[in-house]
Amino acid sequence: MTHGRGLGAARWWTPELWRRHPERTLAVAVGVLAVAGLVVRLVELAERPLHHDESLDAWFSWRFLEGTFEGYDPVYHGPLRFYLTAGFFWVFGESPTTARMVAVLAGVGLIILPWFLRRSLGPVATLTAAAVLAFSPISLYMTRLGREDSLTAFLILAMMVVIVRFLDRPRLLLPALFGFLLAAGFAVKESTFIAVFIFGGFFLALLIEQAVHQRAPTGETERGAGPPGWSWMLPLGLLPMGIAFGVSAYYDVEVFLTLGIYGVLMLEVLLLLADPRTIWELPVVRMARRVPAWGWILAAAVFLFFFALWFTEFFTRPGSFLDGFTEGITYWRGEQDTNRGGEPWHYYLYTIPAYEYLVCILAAIGTVRVFLRPTLLGKFMVWSAVASWLSYSWASERFPWLALHILVPMAFLAGYGVEVLWRARRNVAMVPVWVVMAGLVATTLFVSWRANYVNQRDPRELLTQVHTTDDYVGTVERIEALNRYSVSVGEGPVTVAVDTAMSVPNLWYLRDYPGLTWANRDTAPQVTADFVLHLPESDFASAAPQLADYQTTRLPLRDWWAPQLDSYHTGWFSGWAQWMRNQEVWNPSTLGSTDFDLSISPRAQTLERQLPPPD
C-alpha cells in the first residue's frame, strides 16, 4: 500500500508530471503566471490618481458612452481603446479601476502569448518570457497604466506570433488574422507604423539571408564553409539602420526620407544578391505563395473592414476612413520636430537598465545563444529588440511608457539566456552564477514592488511622468464633500469654475459635476463660483478682481523629476547608486511641479467651518 501511494505521489511530483505531460504542465504554469499577473495588476489599481494622458483617455471613453464623442483625432491616437474602455464603464461603472482595465487585460494577454511560441522557444524560455512580462518593473507598471501602450504592445506581439507561426507552417486564415491585428494596431496607436517598419526590415533581411544561402555552393553550405546567414543579416540590416538613424538625427534629415533611403538600400542589396526571378523561389516567398490568392484578398478585406469600422465610429463618420491612413502618420511626423519631453537620444540606455538590469543581462546571454544557434524566432527577437531600441531612440518623443515596446522582445531573449544557464545547471562552477542570479531576481522583484506600489506616483521614479498629485484629487474630494453638506442643509449646491487652461485632468474628474462652469481671462470678471481652479501662468487672477476676497492657495497639479535639466551624467556613479538604493536624487533642484491656484469664496469658507468632521 505504501509503495502504491509512493507511485501515485510520484505522478504528481512536478518533474515527473512535466516528463509525462509536458504541454499540459507548461499550459498550467503559464496559466498560473497569467492569474498571478492579473492579481498583481489589480492590487491597488485605483490608488494612483489618473495621470494627464489617462484622464484624457477615460474622458474620451466616457464621452463615447454618453454619445458626445466627436470622432477620431490623431492628437489622442486611435479610437479603439475608447470603445473598449466605454464597454467597461457601461458594465462596471466609471472609476479609475475600470479606466485601466483594458491596459490590465492587455498585460495579462502579453503573459499568455509566449505559450503560442512554445514549440520554437522551449519550455524554459517560454516560462521565462511569461514571467518577465508578468512581474518585471516596466512591464508591470505600464500594464497598470490606463494609456494605449499596453494594448499596442499586446497587438504588436500578437502580430509577431502570427508571423512566426505563418513562417513555420503557412495556414489559410493566418493572413486574415494578421490583417485584423494590424487594423487594431493602427486603431490604437501610431507605434504600429514603427512595428510595420521593423517587420518590413526583418522580411527584407530574411530574404537577403536566404539569397546568400541560395548563392552559396551546396557543398560549402553543407560543410558550414558558406557565409552564415545570420552574420549577413546583422551588418546588412541593423547596422545600416543605426547609421541611418544617427545621420538623420545629426543632420536633421526628413523622417520619411530616412526611412525611404534605408528601404531602398535594403532592396538594392537584395537585388545584388538575388536575380528577380530567383527571389520568387526563396523559401519565404514560397511560403507566402502556399496561401491562395483569395486568402490574401480575404486578409486585405478583413483589414479594410475593421479599419473602417473603428476609424469611422462604426460607419457613422465615413469621412474618417481616409483620415485613419493620413492623419495619424502626418501627426506623428509633425511631432518629430517637437521633441515633447525633451529627453536625450540615449534616454532608454539608462531608463531600461535602471529597472531591468536582470533582463538586460539575460537578454545579452540570449543574444549570444541566438548567434551560436540561430533560429527564426531567435533572429526575429534579436532584430525586433535592437530595431525597437534604435527606432524609439531615434524618434523624438521619448517617454517611459514607450520602453515597454523595447522590453517585450528582450523578454524572449532573456528566456533564451535562462535556457543557456539551465542547460549548464549541473556544472559545479555554475553555483556562484545561480547565487548571483537569485540575488538579482530578488532585487528586481523588490524594485518592481517599490515602483508599482510604494512609489507608484512618486516623481523620483523614472517610470512616473505627468502624474496628477494627491493634492489635486484631495481638492476634488473636498469640493464634492462640501457640496453634499451644502445641499443637505439647504444652502444649495457648491459651484465650481475652472480655468480653460487647466482642462486636464478636470475634464475627467469634474465631468458630471452639476455646478461646473469653464472660464478664461475674458470671462474671469464674471466668475462668482465658490471654488475657482486656475493656473498661475494664465494670469487668471489679475483679470478677476473679485478673487481678492477669496482665500487662495497654491497646490501642485502634476509633479516631476527632470534630471535632464541638469545632467543625467552628474549622478555617475554615486548618484545613480544612491538613487537605485533609496530613490534619493542627486539634483533636488530638478524636482518640481506644475501648480494650480485654488481660490475659495467667503461663502465656501463659512460652509467649511460648519462642516462636521469626517467619521
Side-chain angles (χ1 to χ4, degrees), residues 114 120-131 369 411-419:
S120 300
L121 283 170
V124 173
T126 299
L127 286 176
T128 302
R369 181 266 193 203
F412 289 84
L413 296 176
Y416 284 126
V418 172
E419 180 190 54

Side-chain angles (χ1 to χ4, degrees), residues 221-235:
T221 303
E222 290 175 353
R223 293 192 302 272
W230 180 236
S231 67
W232 280 82
M233 285 183 69
L234 184 67

